[in-house]
């Protein structure tokens, strides 16, 4: 049986770091706050690894099936004997897997930040925010009921707001954190309504009870929900769709993705944390947690999940091919890879071999955490060296950043799906699942894989090869870098996470993931078909060699290629004008047609009635205040007159 104390400590240690550094960091732990935060996260990571070993190899499997355990459950709010909100811990295959991913990636970010953020004025505050963010995400994956997930879901949003807006003196950072917060709030409103619909239909907030109730075709809850419809869809369909909207907003799926590129205004390690293992995969985790409901009860919504993921994947890949800011390229890459995970869930079914898409999706979540965190931290090392995010300011950096160069190359090979790196194995299973269930999505995914290889190696060759450009009047080299005692690449604390993540990006694909994570808890054999792998690998290699031809050496070929696409390239560079469409809708439609009339009504009608009542009261009081003379005789006359009037009225009524 799981040790509840150990599992509870995994999220509580980062919370302790947040409280300790938030209250006393700037006064007592100003220089040691990073070490304290990192030490606490290291302890959480060790406990998470121990929990994973204990679950997967000791007690988790019973009769060949991985079980779900609730080692701790406390009643938080009790509304009636049968209605309450509990707070508990869930231990199963996906929650344990997420514990390892979140703690490990967060630990790498904590270590990396010791060098990257050194000298920042608000250094303790930064580590306090990291602790809050990690606690929120760990609480989310351990939640035992859907309302508990919602609580930590919102905490993730709040802590991301603080981290994205860390440089609050920059107007662009302020705008970015507000944008992320507002966009995800719209999605979270749908999530909340969906929670209420599903919990009302099932009569519970508990995951296990909800899933068993809503997936039983003979249950009264399902029959009643099916009988209740709105616009041709049942209550369960609406509930599942609204829950997915919440997940789509948090995971930056089209068209709720506009906050993600702007979130790059936060420190680069924050980008690695948000994009690799935490906030953006929360939506994938949510759909996976409620997957039996989606697959068995609302298959139409699951199909929508698949199409939204596929569209998001290819749109983001096209945009990434045109961007010149390295962090924005990686941001759209994240959107595209999350799209892969989503459509893998969308083309999956429940149980046995039919659940391959589910396993492949979470496998890709696992591998993606390694190479995407590595890409962002590698990008941070480059930015730390040349003080620019623009690819036009880069080139030839392999000579000056050798460790960053090698590790970044490993990450690019992994995300491009080149064997034997991690991304190849997870992508291959996703493509196989799509091939078996939806050929249109399969072809979209295949094209996206080729585009992924192209834009990632466009980034790689632009940074580490090409011809060195002049930055601030000097060429790249020691003269252009920040000369510190740690060295030109940021020192040991910045290079160690790169090396560890590179090992993960290279080797994580060899884990027999299907033996540990599946829809029904039973082992699912890995699927590798040499003939099937030829097409995606060939497209990936074609993308790599195309990028090499265009960007390895400085030439005018990229400009000519961009000109040949003309309108498409321009539209992709401007992100298909989706931000402008949102601005038009909000400013021209919502503000002018709804906001301004509502403001006029509030100002003239609502405020007018309030002001009228106040003025009328003042007027009447001015007129009757002379009755307050202080003479008892007059008061007696008024009293007597009132009695006479009331008596006359009653006599008239009762006669």
């Amino acid at each position: 049986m799981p040790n509840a104390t150990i599992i509870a400590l995994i999220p509580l240690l980062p919370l302790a770091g947040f409280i300790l550094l938030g209250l006393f960091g700037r006064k007592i732990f100003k220089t040691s706050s990073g070490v304290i935060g990192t030490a606490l996260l290291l302890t959480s990571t060790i406990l998470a690894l121990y929990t994973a070993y204990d679950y997967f190899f000791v007690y988790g499997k019973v009769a060949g099936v991985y079980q779900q355990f609730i080692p701790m459950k406390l009643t938080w709010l009790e509304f009636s004997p049968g209605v309450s909100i509990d707070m508990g811990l869930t231990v199963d295959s996906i929650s344990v897997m997420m514990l390892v991913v979140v703690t490990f990636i967060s630990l790498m970010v904590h270590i990396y930040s010791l060098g990257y953020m050194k000298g920042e004025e608000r250094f303790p505050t930064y580590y306090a925010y990291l602790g809050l963010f990690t606690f929120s995400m760990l609480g989310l994956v351990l939640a035992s009921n859907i309302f508990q997930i919602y609580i930590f879901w919102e905490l993730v949003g709040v802590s991301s707001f603080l981290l994205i807006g860390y440089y609050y003196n920059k107007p662009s950072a302020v705008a970015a954190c507000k944008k992320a917060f507002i966009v995800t709030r719209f999605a979270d409103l749908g999530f909340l309504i969906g929670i209420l619909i599903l919990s009302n239909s099932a009569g519970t907030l508990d995951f296990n009870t909800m899933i068993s109730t809503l997936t039983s075709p003979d249950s009264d809850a399902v029959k009643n929900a099916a009988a209740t419809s709105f616009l041709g869809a049942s209550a369960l369909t609406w509930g599942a769709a609204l829950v997915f909207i919440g997940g789509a907003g948090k995971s930056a799926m089209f068209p709720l993705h506009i906050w993600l590129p702007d979130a790059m205004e936060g420190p680069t390690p924050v980008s690695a944390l948000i994009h690799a293992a935490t906030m953006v995969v929360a939506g994938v985790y949510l759909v996976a947690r409620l997957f039996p409901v989606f697959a068995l009860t609302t298959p139409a919504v699951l199909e929508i999940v698949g199409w939204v993921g596929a569209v998001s994947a290819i749109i983001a890949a096209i945009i990434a091919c045109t961007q010149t800011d390295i962090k924005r390229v990686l941001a759209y890459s994240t959107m595209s890879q999350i799209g892969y995970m989503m459509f893998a869930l969308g083309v999956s079914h429940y149980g046995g071999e039919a659940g391959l898409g589910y396993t492949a999706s979470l496998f890709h979540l696992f591998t993606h955490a390694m190479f995407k965190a590595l890409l962002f931290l590698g990008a941070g090392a480059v930015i730390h060296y040349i003080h620019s995010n623009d690819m036009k300011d880069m080139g030839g950096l392999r000579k000056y950043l050798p460790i960053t160069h090698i590790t970044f190359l490993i990450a690019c090979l992994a995300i491009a799906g080149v064997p034997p790196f991690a991304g190849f194995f997870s992508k291959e299973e996703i493509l196989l699942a799509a091939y078996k269930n939806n050929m249109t999505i399969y072809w979209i995914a295949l094209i996206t894989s080729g585009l992924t290889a192209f834009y990632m190696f466009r980034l790689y060759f632009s940074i580490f090869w090409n011809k060195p450009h002049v930055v601030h009047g000097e060429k790249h080299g020691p003269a252009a870098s920040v000369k510190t005692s740690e060295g030109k690449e940021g020192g040991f604390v910045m290079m160690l996470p790169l090396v560890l993540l590179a090992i993960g990006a290279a080797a994580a694909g060899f884990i027999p993931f299907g033996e540990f994570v599946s829809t029904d808890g039973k082992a699912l054999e890995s699927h590798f078909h040499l003939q099937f792998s030829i097409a995606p690998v060939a497209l990936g290699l074609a993308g790599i060699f195309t990028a090499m031809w265009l960007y390895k050496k400085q030439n005018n070929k990229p400009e000519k290629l961009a000109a040949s696409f003309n309108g498409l390239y321009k539209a992709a560079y401007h992100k298909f004008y989706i931000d402008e469409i949102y601005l038009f809708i909000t400013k021209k439609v919502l503000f002018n047609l709804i906001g301004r009339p509502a403001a006029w009504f509030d100002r003239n009608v609502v405020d007018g009635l309030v002001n009228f009542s106040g003025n009328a009261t003042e007027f009447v009081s001015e007129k009757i205040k002379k009755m307050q003379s202080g003479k008892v005789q007059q008061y007696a006359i008024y009293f007597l007159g009132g009695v006479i009037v009331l008596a006359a009225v009653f006599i008239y009524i009762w006669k």
Side-chain angles (χ1 to χ4, degrees):
M1 291 295 291
N3 190 315
T5 303
I6 290 177
I7 298 169
L9 282 174
I10 297 173
L12 290 178
L13 287 172
L15 177 63
F18 164 69
I19 296 172
L20 185 65
L21 299 178
L23 292 176
F24 309 108
R26 302 189 72 175
K27 293 182 179 180
I28 302 176
F29 306 112
K30 191 169 185 178
T31 57
S32 59
S33 56
V35 176
I36 293 172
T38 304
L40 290 169
L41 222 293
L42 175 61
T43 308
S44 282
T45 305
I46 294 171
L47 295 177
L49 291 171
Y50 171 79
T51 300
Y53 174 81
D54 210 27
Y55 176 80
F56 286 120
F57 300 103
V58 178
Y59 67 84
K61 184 179 285 189
V62 179
V65 179
Y66 281 107
Q67 306 295 314
Q68 185 180 86
F69 301 92
I70 310 292
M72 182 183 294
K73 190 174 184 180
L74 302 171
T75 299
W76 178 40
L77 294 173
E78 187 171 1
F79 303 103
S80 66
V83 181
S84 64
I85 297 177
D86 300 321
M87 300 291 281
L89 300 173
T90 297
V91 179
D92 60 6
S93 56
I94 60 172
S95 66
V96 172
M97 181 271 295
M98 288 297 296
L99 282 182
V100 174
V101 171
V102 173
T103 53
F104 179 71
I105 299 300
S106 184
L107 176 62
M108 296 299 101
V109 170
H110 274 71
I111 296 172
Y112 185 89
S113 298
L114 291 172
Y116 190 90
M117 299 297 291
K118 185 178 180 180
E120 288 282 345
E121 183 180 354
R122 301 170 65 231
F123 191 64
T125 303
Y126 171 80
Y127 271 92
Y129 290 167
L130 284 184
L132 177 63
F133 192 94
T134 306
F135 161 73
S136 303
M137 193 64 200
L138 291 170
L140 190 154
V141 302
L142 286 172
S144 63
N145 65 76
I146 197 166
F147 194 81
Q148 187 181 344
I149 266 195
Y150 181 75
I151 294 172
F152 286 102
W153 189 274
E154 295 298 334
L155 275 177
V156 168
V158 170
S159 51
S160 66
F161 172 86
L162 296 173
L163 285 169
I164 296 169
Y166 175 77
Y167 298 119
Y168 62 89
N169 54 343
K170 291 174 57 181
S172 57
V174 174
C177 69
K178 288 195 295 184
K179 187 176 184 179
F181 194 76
I182 292 170
V183 172
T184 53
R185 289 294 70 71
F186 278 104
D188 292 351
L189 176 61
F191 183 27
L192 179 59
I193 297 172
I195 287 173
L196 297 175
I197 293 174
L198 293 182
S199 60
N200 181 68
S201 300
T204 181
L205 294 168
D206 181 75
F207 277 123
N208 286 338
T209 309
M210 178 182 291
I211 291 172
S212 63
T213 301
L214 297 182
T215 55
S216 175
D218 298 326
S219 71
D220 293 334
V222 174
K223 293 178 181 178
N224 293 334
T228 306
S229 64
F230 178 71
L231 297 178
S234 69
L236 284 180
T237 301
W238 277 107
L242 289 167
V243 167
F244 170 64
I245 287 175
K250 200 72 82 181
S251 291
M253 293 289 93
F254 177 86
L256 300 172
H257 67 280
I258 59 172
W259 66 269
L260 191 63
D262 291 355
M264 299 298 98
E265 291 294 337
T268 301
V270 170
S271 301
L273 189 60
I274 290 176
H275 287 248
T278 52
M279 185 173 175
V280 293
V281 298
V284 178
Y285 176 80
L286 179 65
V287 176
R289 174 59 70 192
L290 291 171
F291 186 77
V293 176
F294 283 96
L296 300 177
T297 307
T298 58
V301 179
L302 194 61
E303 187 173 354
I304 294 173
V305 171
W307 281 108
V308 169
V311 171
S312 300
I314 193 165
I315 287 178
I318 294 171
I319 295 174
C321 293
T322 65
Q323 301 301 299
T324 58
D325 185 304
I326 61 173
K327 290 177 69 176
R328 288 184 177 267
V329 173
L330 295 178
Y332 282 107
S333 169
T334 297
M335 176 183 168
S336 183
Q337 298 305 302
I338 298 296
Y340 262 88
M341 301 173 203
M342 281 293 188
F343 79 67
L345 290 171
V347 299
S348 183
H349 300 284
Y350 185 83
E353 294 289 328
L356 175 62
Y358 174 93
T359 299
S361 174
L362 295 177
F363 190 19
H364 197 58
L365 186 156
F366 183 81
T367 60
H368 175 263
M370 303 298 169
F371 55 71
K372 184 51 59 72
L374 177 56
L375 287 168
F376 269 106
L377 296 186
V382 172
I383 296 169
H384 186 266
Y385 186 75
I386 68 168
H387 307 288
S388 174
N389 291 21
D390 201 318
M391 292 160 56
K392 297 176 182 178
D393 297 333
M394 301 173 187
L397 292 180
R398 69 189 187 282
K399 301 177 183 178
Y400 310 108
L401 306 173
I403 298 175
T404 304
H405 167 233
I406 296 299
T407 55
F408 199 92
L409 176 59
I410 291 172
C412 288
L413 290 169
I415 194 173
V418 176
F421 297 94
F424 165 74
F425 296 96
S426 55
K427 277 192 174 182
E428 199 263 355
E429 291 199 352
I430 288 176
L431 289 169
L432 181 59
Y435 182 83
K436 289 183 175 180
N437 295 285
N438 192 315
M439 284 300 299
T440 306
I441 290 181
Y442 168 74
W443 283 108
I444 293 173
L446 203 59
I447 295 169
T448 303
S449 68
L451 292 173
T452 301
F454 170 76
Y455 69 68
M456 285 310 308
F457 277 87
R458 167 181 176 261
L459 184 63
Y460 165 74
F461 287 113
S462 297
I463 296 172
F464 297 104
W465 293 80
N466 213 287
K467 182 181 178 181
H469 294 273
V470 176
V471 183
H472 306 304
E474 296 179 342
K475 289 189 176 181
H476 296 312
S481 67
V482 179
K483 295 179 180 174
T484 64
S485 60
E486 289 119 352
K488 61 185 180 180
E489 283 194 279
F492 177 78
V493 292
M494 287 179 63
M495 294 300 103
L496 177 62
L498 298 186
V499 174
L500 293 176
L501 287 167
I503 295 172
F510 293 98
I511 296 174
F513 197 82
E515 293 184 10
F516 305 109
V517 179
S518 64
T519 57
D520 53 8
K522 300 177 182 178
L524 185 66
E525 294 183 5
S526 298
H527 296 75
F528 177 75
H529 303 280
L530 181 61
Q531 293 180 337
F532 181 80
S533 301
I534 292 175
V537 172
L539 278 175
L541 293 175
I544 293 172
F545 286 115
T546 303
M548 181 187 298
W549 176 65
L550 291 170
Y551 298 99
K552 186 177 181 180
K553 295 182 179 180
Q554 189 181 34
N555 56 74
N556 61 352
K557 294 176 183 175
E559 288 77 10
K560 289 182 178 180
L561 183 64
S564 66
F565 284 97
N566 197 10
L568 177 61
Y569 181 88
K570 185 179 179 181
Y573 181 77
H574 291 285
K575 299 164 286 186
F576 293 109
Y577 303 99
I578 296 172
D579 284 75
E580 287 78 6
I581 293 171
Y582 271 106
L583 285 174
F584 174 80
I585 293 172
T586 52
K587 289 185 176 182
K588 301 296 184 181
V589 178
L590 296 179
F591 289 172
N592 289 345
L593 299 182
I594 299 175
R596 287 184 177 178
W600 181 90
F601 182 84
D602 180 69
R603 184 171 56 254
N604 293 279
V605 179
V606 178
D607 289 352
L609 289 172
V610 173
N611 293 335
F612 173 78
S613 63
N615 293 331
T617 302
E618 184 180 8
F619 175 79
V620 173
S621 63
E622 284 288 337
K623 296 299 182 183
I624 66 174
K625 68 180 182 179
K626 294 181 180 179
M627 297 173 64
Q628 302 294 326
S629 61
K631 298 179 179 180
V632 179
Q633 298 91 335
Q634 290 184 353
Y635 296 161
I637 292 173
Y638 295 151
F639 177 78
L640 182 60
V643 170
I644 294 171
V645 170
L646 289 174
V649 170
F650 281 116
I651 292 171
Y652 178 78
I653 294 174
W654 289 343
K655 70 177 181 178

